[in-house]
Amino acid sequence: MTDRYFLQFRRTFIVVQTVLAFLLLIIVTLHGRNETPVVESSALIRSYSVFLLIAAALFAVGLPILIRSGAYERMQKQGLSPGGHSLVQFALLGTVALGELAALIAYLIPVLDTHLYLTTLIAVYGLYTVLPFEERWRKDCAAFQIDAEAEEC
């Protein structure tokens, strides 16, 4: 049985990903990939590359791990309601969206190709971790010890 928290999360996921896909389409259509930077120095390009790679790794992988760990500790101390679980999922979606935004910015400005590919790969992995599958949602509810039968999870 799907519940309102899962359906609300799925709708929000679709809206966020549609906006990011639309931004990618705009960037590709209007700007394209700037292969040869004209005025930037190579040191500045390396700085942009490293900064965006670290930002994507932080927002798409690092912060979601921290958020889930914090939610699990909170669940052990106080318990976690279905609404609290939903808030954790929305926080995960928000941080992963910021990681995806770092990948879009890396596509927009001139960065090293290797860092662009790594940034994109990290963003796709972050996206994979928050895909709204009902089975994954139920497993998360079980991991956070939320009774799916007694309450809507």
Side-chain angles (χ1 to χ4, degrees), residues 4-19:
R4 62 187 169 118
Y5 293 118
F6 175 71
L7 294 176
Q8 183 181 13
F9 177 73
R10 187 186 306 185
R11 280 192 299 267
T12 305
F13 177 85
I14 290 170
V15 168
V16 168
Q17 296 308 315
T18 303
V19 168

Side-chain angles (χ1 to χ4, degrees), residues 14 29 35 49-50 70 88 94-96 99 107 119 127-128 143:
I14 290 170
T29 304
E35 294 294 334
S49 298
V50 170
V88 168
T95 58
V96 167
Y107 191 85
T119 303
L127 175 64
Y128 169 74

Side-chain angles (χ1 to χ4, degrees), residues 74-136:
R74 179 176 177 213
M75 180 274 305
Q76 285 182 333
K77 292 179 184 174
Q78 303 171 355
L80 192 64
S81 67
H85 176 256
S86 178
L87 289 176
V88 168
Q89 296 300 321
F90 282 114
L92 291 172
L93 177 61
T95 58
V96 167
L98 289 175
E100 293 176 39
L101 194 58
L104 288 177
I105 293 171
Y107 191 85
L108 181 63
I109 65 175
V111 296
L112 299 174
D113 286 342
T114 306
H115 290 168
L116 173 67
Y117 303 145
L118 285 172
T119 303
T120 305
L121 184 64
I122 288 170
V124 169
Y125 174 74
L127 175 64
Y128 169 74
T129 62
V130 294
L131 285 175
F133 295 124
E134 189 171 355
E135 181 180 339
R136 181 179 289 168

